[in-house]
Amino acid sequence: MWRGARWAGITAAASALLLSGCGPADSTPVLTWYINPDDGGQAAIAEKCTAAADGRYRIQTTLLPSDAAAQREQLARRLAASDTSMDIMSLDPPFIPELAEPGFLAPVPEDTAQKTTQHTLDGALAGAKWKGSLVTVPFWANTQILWYRKSVAKAAGLDMSKPVTWAQVIKAAKDEQKYLGVQGALAESMTVWVNALVESGGGHIVENPEASADGIRLGLESEAGKKAAEIVSTIGKEGLGGPGLATQAENESMLQFQGDKGSFMVNWPFVWPATNASVKAGSLEKSLVEDIGWALYPQTEAGKEARPPLGGINLGVGAASTHVDLAYDAVECIVRPEHQVEYFVTNGNPPSDSTAYDDPSIKEKFPMAETIRQSLRQSAPRPQTPYYNEVSTGIQQNWAPPSGVDPATTPKTTTDFIIEVLRGERLL
Amino acid sequence: MSAPVDTRTGRRRRETGVVLSERRRSERRLGWWLAGPAFVVMLLVTLYPILQAVWDSLFNFRLTAPGDKSFIGLKNYGVILTDSLFWRDLGVTSLITVITVVVELVLGFALALVMHKALKSLRGFVRTAILVPYGIITVVSAFAWFYAFDINSGFVNNWFDWVPGIGPDLNWFADTWTSLSVIMASEIWKTTPFISLLLLAGLAQVPDELTEAAEVDGATWWQRMQRVILPNMKAAIMVAVLFRALDAFRIFDNVFIMTNGAYGTEVLSLLAYRTSIGRLEIGLGSAISVLLFLCVLIICFVAIKLFKVDLAGAQGGK
């Protein structure tokens, strides 16, 4: 019995080796593409580009962890160890400076930059640079928009055709006794929110992001920082975010928005395909989708253009890769506008290339595509510093839960805390 | 774990009162030959990383800034030991250790008694049933507990809304004490079987003649338990407590999955993880790991000292 099992195991292992191409004759260079989990869109593009390469290379995808912070941990450790398999990487923009500063990323060739960034939306392009030069190639760009229930906005008498402010949204939710969809958990989503609030108020969380750890100056102790703290604290203290606010990230706030108490929510576009899928699966009413509207991110100050959050994925090439040229060749293929369109339609991740939005299939599948494009134009990246992890975690620890935020003290305590951490004087 | 063995051989030597015979010496040599290779491998895979961590902890070393590595002596330790965060995490870790070990000991003993007394035909079944939680991977059980208590997907708020304080609006993971209770409950649920198994082994070693004799002498159940069974099980109890305390002190999975250290629930191993893996501050992170290691050593030392006392006490025939 045991013997039989052993032989079966050996045979299986041997045939797996043969099937996976360890056999002779195949000398095509294999490019490894470290992808963040999605609905199979990146793997599909990898196949297309492998076919387009016509035997010059083969792209093989490898899955990273689902959590952005965990992706960063794995990539940074591999890059620091000069792993030669880091051919192409799907990178979250905030982590790019940390990887670019020590030279872990191979420089982007001039003509690749030329070909891939001609029509890139401003926000996405800014997120791909470090110290003024392009270090990654923008692939898809993400931004948050304001989702609302038409019925609630109507009852509250809000004119959603014009930009709205946080004060208006807070008042509407309060008057209608509904919950606001914001992200109050101690997680990256908290920094995303605070950054958008501060940027929309005209400030910056980090004033000089390119400085060294000792020289970084924070901009939270400003009018914009105080205003941001007021918004977060009002929503937290008045219970407007619902009982789950302190542990609520993007997905939880979407679930709340879909429920009876949903009113307004700031969130990424994944909400749209996810809600439609739930309707299709029968767990949500069709009338819900008809009740959902969208607008630009709320303004912090009336009349001052909001600066919505920016996310997405850029492609980087590892400096230690043995196929840098081929990798950039593959990157050029991956980020082609038609691939970005396909990726948006199948996986719900918006293009970074502005021309991609003119594709009719996008308008059909994502009626809010124009809002997304405009939001991306206005968007502001999170602080682009090699110490982003410290800054972000410092903000999360001081601003979550929202009910604990005090506009008079929180900006200062956060600043002192982060500065001390960056100087190596205390733990994070 | 070397202590009890040492005392036993020591005792034996005292009993025989002579120098080791030729045969015993060759037996001992054979023992070294048999255990030696494993011992060397163990030293390589444990001692080397420990020394490396101690060495790294003396540097200011960030993985993403390899060029800036500099020797700073004990400064990392100074930063850690003067930071309230370290002490808070140490407090949380100790609290979890003490409460879970005590509760597990009581529950585990009760379960061991059940297993011991269960009818022969049922014994196998009872043992398997009790062991099921221990067989589940900690991360999986942590997720199960998390989703059970989560305000969005959990059923606990719904099922137990008749308990004062529990209702649909209770967010378990937004407060230190409620989160810690769920984390500890999950730990206890998962590892009580382990402790009960160790205690069952101890229980089985208590000679039946002793309890029967006590019973004949008119001792009540409680007296038998207190005067006969427990003193005879002291060694097993101490082993169980030591193993579990060391394990509980290094708690990671449950906290990592359920709260990721949010809202005052961070434990020492999570702090070490976040510093070395999350922040990539190898120097500072190694220093925390070294301190964690020292804490474990202290627990070991204290427990083994107690252990010896207990062994001697049992010998003295109290």
Side-chain angles (χ1 to χ4, degrees):
Chain A
M1 175 78 184
W2 186 80
R3 202 166 212 182
R6 188 173 60 168
W7 275 111
I10 291 173
T11 321
S15 38
L17 276 178
L18 283 174
L19 287 174
S20 68
C22 277
D26 188 3
S27 59
T28 317
V30 176
L31 302 177
T32 313
W33 179 11
Y34 285 83
I35 58 168
N36 56 310
D38 60 5
D39 287 340
Q42 291 175 101
I45 296 176
E47 256 174 51
K48 283 195 173 169
C49 290
T50 299
D54 206 20
R56 280 184 300 129
Y57 53 79
R58 203 152 51 79
I59 307 175
Q60 193 177 39
T61 54
T62 295
L63 209 57
L64 289 168
S66 57
D67 175 44
Q71 290 168 16
R72 163 187 165 272
E73 283 162 15
Q74 190 175 127
L75 290 169
R77 291 214 308 274
R78 280 175 179 271
L79 286 168
S82 303
D83 184 340
T84 52
S85 80
M86 311 298 283
D87 298 318
I88 308 169
M89 295 163 284
S90 291
L91 301 171
D92 212 350
F95 305 131
I96 288 171
E98 185 180 34
L99 304 179
E101 178 69 10
F104 288 167
L105 302 176
V108 183
E110 198 58 48
D111 63 318
T112 304
Q114 192 69 38
K115 277 185 222 163
T116 52
T117 57
Q118 249 174 353
H119 304 289
T120 305
L121 290 156
D122 291 347
L125 191 59
K129 288 180 173 175
W130 171 239
K131 291 192 169 165
S133 55
L134 198 71
V135 289
T136 54
V137 174
F139 173 33
W140 60 273
N142 217 355
T143 186
Q144 288 193 357
I145 58 178
L146 176 66
W147 303 87
Y148 63 92
R149 300 284 286 267
K150 292 174 184 163
S151 52
V152 179
K154 198 175 168 202
L158 261 189
D159 177 10
M160 299 303 293
S161 64
K162 284 185 240 147
V164 291
T165 62
W166 277 102
Q168 285 175 306
V169 169
I170 287 172
K171 186 173 178 301
K174 198 152 67 175
D175 291 348
E176 299 302 312
Q177 296 188 333
K178 302 275 185 188
Y179 292 145
L180 267 180
V182 286
Q183 291 80 39
L186 201 156
E188 181 60 26
S189 53
M190 188 77 223
T191 313
V192 170
W193 187 24
V194 174
N195 187 62
L197 292 175
V198 173
E199 290 281 341
S200 299
H204 305 286
I205 289 181
V206 177
E207 296 285 359
N208 53 344
E210 291 179 7
S212 67
D214 297 337
I216 280 188
R217 278 194 324 272
L218 297 194
L220 282 169
E221 287 179 85
S222 61
E223 211 36 57
K226 192 166 166 247
K227 186 82 194 155
E230 273 167 16
I231 292 170
V232 174
S233 129
T234 308
I235 293 174
K237 290 206 171 102
E238 299 192 12
L240 293 172
L245 181 62
T247 53
Q248 189 161 286
E250 291 95 336
N251 206 44
E252 290 82 12
S253 45
M254 175 183 76
L255 297 178
Q256 190 186 59
F257 177 75
Q258 292 168 342
D260 297 335
K261 296 278 250 171
S263 64
F264 299 85
M265 167 179 71
V266 285
N267 214 331
W268 311 99
F270 83 95
V271 167
W272 186 248
T275 308
N276 279 298
S278 300
V279 171
K280 211 170 181 184
S283 55
L284 289 176
E285 296 288 324
K286 195 169 180 345
S287 57
L288 173 72
V289 175
E290 285 152 14
D291 193 33
I292 294 179
W294 46 84
L296 282 175
Y297 202 82
Q299 298 178 340
T300 297
E301 270 174 56
K304 198 173 203 166
E305 199 173 69
R307 313 236 28 210
L310 172 76
I313 288 292
N314 295 355
L315 299 180
V317 174
S321 159
T322 40
H323 307 290
V324 172
D325 297 347
L326 292 178
Y328 272 115
D329 196 78
V331 166
E332 282 176 31
C333 171
I334 292 167
V335 302
R336 274 187 207 150
E338 64 264 31
H339 289 155
Q340 294 192 16
V341 170
E342 181 195 308
Y343 196 47
F344 191 23
V345 172
T346 55
N347 284 241
N349 294 325
S352 59
D353 188 300
S354 72
T355 57
Y357 288 84
D358 299 329
D359 194 283
S361 61
I362 281 190
K363 296 218 159 107
E364 186 191 325
K365 194 94 190 268
F366 288 89
M368 68 294 300
E370 199 43 52
T371 310
I372 294 174
R373 172 152 63 172
Q374 181 55 33
S375 182
L376 278 171
R377 283 202 181 109
Q378 285 175 222
S379 66
R382 279 160 273 168
Q384 287 173 292
T385 152
Y387 303 96
Y388 178 74
N389 181 56
E390 277 76 9
V391 173
S392 176
T393 314
I395 288 173
Q396 293 165 34
Q397 291 191 349
N398 284 280
W399 292 62
S403 56
V405 171
D406 178 356
T409 57
T410 303
K412 179 162 168 44
T413 24
T414 314
T415 305
D416 295 346
F417 179 71
I418 294 174
I419 295 290
E420 278 176 43
V421 168
L422 285 175
R423 287 196 190 134
E425 287 162 6
R426 65 181 298 173
L427 296 168
L428 182 62
Chain B
M1 289 321 304
S2 57
V5 178
D6 285 343
T7 49
R8 224 168 291 150
T9 48
R11 207 176 300 133
R12 213 164 287 155
R13 202 183 300 177
R14 248 177 280 134
E15 276 160 15
T16 50
V18 287
V19 196
L20 290 177
S21 67
E22 187 59 38
R23 188 179 156 193
R24 269 197 65 72
R25 239 184 296 166
S26 73
E27 262 180 14
R28 184 168 281 190
R29 221 174 10 244
L30 178 68
W32 270 109
W33 275 113
L34 291 175
F39 185 69
V40 170
V41 170
M42 219 180 75
L43 274 189
L44 283 177
V45 296
T46 57
L47 195 65
Y48 165 67
I50 291 171
L51 292 180
Q52 174 84 50
V54 172
W55 176 246
D56 280 342
S57 72
L58 305 175
F59 288 86
N60 177 11
F61 176 28
R62 191 185 164 92
L63 201 59
T64 49
D68 301 344
K69 186 172 174 176
S70 58
F71 183 82
I72 51 167
L74 295 175
K75 195 178 156 232
N76 281 332
Y77 292 94
V79 170
I80 296 165
L81 293 173
T82 52
D83 198 308
S84 59
L85 183 68
F86 173 80
W87 296 105
R88 191 196 72 191
D89 288 3
L90 181 65
V92 172
T93 315
S94 314
L95 183 83
I96 292 178
T97 308
V98 170
I99 294 185
T100 55
V101 171
V102 168
V103 175
E104 280 170 25
L105 201 59
V106 174
L107 284 180
F109 193 70
L111 287 178
L113 281 179
V114 170
M115 287 195 274
H116 193 58
K117 295 276 179 221
L119 289 175
K120 270 240 164 67
S121 56
L122 279 177
R123 206 174 277 174
F125 172 76
V126 172
R127 255 179 232 184
T128 314
I130 288 177
L131 269 177
V132 165
Y134 192 60
I136 294 175
I137 296 163
T138 315
V139 172
V140 175
S141 96
F143 270 118
W145 280 76
F146 171 76
Y147 286 122
F149 283 84
D150 180 42
I151 188 166
N152 294 302
S153 60
F155 55 82
V156 170
N157 280 352
N158 202 357
W159 284 11
F160 294 94
D161 55 1
W162 48 271
V163 178
I166 299 183
D169 284 355
L170 176 60
N171 192 354
W172 290 86
F173 299 110
D175 177 80
T176 310
W177 295 109
T178 47
S179 330
L180 282 180
S181 346
V182 181
I183 289 167
M184 287 191 282
S186 158
E187 276 287 296
I188 290 166
W189 175 79
K190 178 138 171 46
T191 41
T192 301
F194 172 73
I195 240 175
S196 71
L197 215 62
L198 285 179
L199 292 179
L200 179 65
L203 214 50
Q205 275 177 351
V206 179
D208 282 342
E209 304 88 74
L210 288 183
T211 35
E212 276 164 26
E215 202 170 356
V216 170
D217 287 346
T220 60
W221 180 85
W222 177 240
Q223 282 171 325
R224 266 179 284 146
M225 187 60 68
Q226 209 185 354
R227 302 273 167 91
V228 181
I229 298 179
L230 285 180
N232 275 295
M233 278 181 68
K234 249 181 194 165
I237 293 175
M238 287 318 293
V239 169
V241 168
L242 176 63
F243 273 34
R244 261 312 293 157
L246 292 180
D247 230 22
F249 198 80
R250 293 178 294 121
I251 177 175
F252 180 84
D253 317 43
N254 270 317
V255 185
F256 182 66
I257 300 290
M258 292 197 216
T259 64
N260 198 9
Y263 308 131
T265 58
E266 188 167 79
V267 291
L268 275 187
S269 50
L270 189 60
L271 180 67
Y273 168 84
R274 281 202 313 109
T275 311
S276 13
I277 311 286
R279 293 181 60 195
L280 305 165
E281 289 282 0
I282 307 297
L284 203 57
S286 298
I288 299 174
S289 308
V290 169
L291 288 173
L292 179 63
F293 177 63
L294 288 180
C295 290
V296 170
L297 275 189
I298 290 171
I299 296 181
C300 249
F301 184 75
V302 169
I304 287 171
K305 283 278 163 201
L306 283 177
F307 208 2
K308 269 186 184 162
V309 169
D310 276 345
L311 268 183
Q315 271 252 307
K318 250 196 251 172

